[in-house]
Amino acid sequence: MTDAIIQTLDTPDGPFTVLEDSEGRVLASGWTDDAERIVARLADRHRPERVVDGTVRAAEAVDAFYDGQVEHAMQVPVRQFGTDLFAEGWRQLRAIPSGSVLTYTELASAMGRPDAIRAAASVCARNAPALFVPCHRVLRSDGTLGGFAWGLDVKRSLLERESVGATALV
């Protein structure tokens, strides 16, 4: 991979940094202003050779998300690297409608592998383009938030913005 563009945006949940390839696909993103932390979300072999500060195409979708137009983020192109099972998991994450959640068990079933609950959790943990692939929409089977690379406060805020019922926000 050659060059990539990185930009940090201000959001109500704090700084949000987006890394895009030269084709405008989000490679990694998250709620931090630490560019190295964002690049580190990618395996060494998938990291860009050079990262330059600039304006990412996804910035408009991030602004729209925080203005209440949540689904714009689901239209942003992403590029992810993983096995066929992971690719299916990420595809299923993007299919979760705004305002809805799945449990890890339900995600595993949606992936066609109902027994692969740990794999479903790994799909979320290894999801580099946060927000654009909404792993925050997956909860534990008891309805609690579970983990999130960017912190439970951010996960709770995202779900609240998407109008998920308060019972899911234990």
Side-chain angles (χ1 to χ4, degrees), residues 16-167:
F16 183 74
T17 301
V18 180
L19 177 69
E20 283 184 358
D21 68 12
S22 59
E23 296 177 38
R25 298 174 296 188
V26 175
L27 300 170
S29 53
W31 288 267
T32 180
D33 57 5
D34 183 347
E36 289 181 22
R37 185 173 176 204
I38 296 300
V39 173
R41 299 285 296 165
L42 301 172
D44 287 341
R45 67 184 178 277
H46 299 301
R47 291 182 185 162
E49 294 172 17
R50 191 169 70 110
V51 175
V52 296
D53 288 327
T55 301
V56 295
R57 294 179 193 171
E60 187 176 307
V62 174
D63 290 342
F65 177 88
Y66 281 101
D67 285 341
Q69 300 168 29
V70 174
E71 287 306 311
H72 283 274
M74 298 309 102
Q75 306 309 313
V76 171
V78 298
R79 182 164 186 215
Q80 293 176 281
F81 306 93
T83 65
D84 289 344
L85 183 62
F86 273 76
E88 179 60 17
W90 293 323
R91 191 180 75 70
Q92 292 299 329
L93 288 174
R94 284 195 111 179
I96 302 170
S98 172
S100 299
V101 294
L102 291 182
T103 64
Y104 292 108
T105 303
E106 291 167 333
L107 177 59
S109 291
M111 292 165 50
R113 297 275 309 275
D115 59 327
I117 298 165
R118 286 185 185 204
S122 292
V123 161
C124 293
R126 288 192 35 213
N127 177 44
L131 183 65
F132 307 104
V133 178
C135 59
H136 63 273
R137 294 179 185 165
V138 180
L139 306 176
R140 291 181 177 152
S141 58
D142 65 0
T144 58
L145 293 179
F148 187 59
W150 308 106
L152 295 184
D153 288 343
V154 172
K155 185 171 183 170
R156 184 177 294 107
S157 174
L158 296 172
L159 292 172
E160 288 172 353
R161 280 182 193 291
E162 295 178 3
S163 301
V164 172
T167 57

